[in-house]
Every structure is written in structure tokens, then in C-alpha cells.
Amino acid sequence: MAAGDGRLAMIKMCFEQADANHDGKLTKKEMNSIFSFIKCKLSPKQKDMLFDAADKNKTGSLDYPQFIDWCLGAGTISQELHDRAIDDAKAQ
């Protein structure tokens, strides 16, 4: 297993579990389930701000690539690892 694959597997599992309707996107409500699970102590306004910042294309939902960027912070992982995660998401 390549370095970083474990993180990507955990992120993918989290995304799939939060995606309640299995449409491949997370709504604010679905993201709030993640915030609750990790016992996030942010206000609703702060959670909305985080979601809105991650929703780069302003569709009102996060797709898997946006979720990866949100979890790992865009630019904090290698481009190769990021591209591999995106390719994996597209293959599904």
C-alpha cells in the first residue's frame, strides 16, 4: 500500500457513510452528520461557513473531490495522491 492510501480509504469510508441518499454528493445536512460524529463544537454558522468554503462550484453539495480537499486541505497532499483519489472517484 502506498503512503497516504490509508488516509484516502478512511476519507472514502466517511464520505460513503455520510452520503445518506447515495447520490455521490454531501448536502449540508449530510455534512452535519459528520460534524456530529466527530463531536465538532462549531456553531451552525461556522459549520455553514466551512461547508460554503468547501463547495467551490457553489452547487449546495460537496462531491468526493471537494470532500477530499476539505478533509486534507487542498495543497497539503501530493498532487499524485490527490489525482489518484480523484481518478478513483471518477471510476465509480
Side-chain angles (χ1 to χ4, degrees):
M1 184 185 304
D5 284 347
R7 285 191 294 174
L8 291 177
M10 292 291 287
I11 290 169
K12 185 174 184 177
M13 182 180 73
C14 183
F15 182 88
E16 289 173 348
Q17 289 181 349
D19 184 14
N21 63 357
H22 307 289
D23 67 350
K25 298 176 260 183
L26 299 180
T27 63
K28 282 187 181 184
K29 182 178 179 181
E30 290 168 329
M31 275 297 292
N32 279 327
S33 71
I34 294 172
F35 290 136
S36 294
F37 179 76
I38 63 173
K39 299 182 181 4
C40 184
K41 298 189 186 283
L42 297 173
S43 71
K45 182 178 180 180
Q46 290 170 317
K47 290 175 188 176
D48 282 347
M49 288 172 60
L50 280 175
F51 183 92
D52 292 342
D55 182 15
K56 300 290 185 197
N57 57 1
K58 305 302 178 208
T59 61
S61 61
L62 301 182
D63 59 21
Y64 185 61
Q66 290 172 320
F67 187 70
I68 292 169
D69 287 344
W70 179 78
C71 288
L72 298 177
T76 63
I77 60 173
S78 71
Q79 189 63 46
E80 177 188 357
L81 186 59
H82 183 272
D83 292 347
R84 201 166 7 132
I86 302 306
D87 289 344
D88 179 53
K90 290 178 182 175
Q92 296 182 9

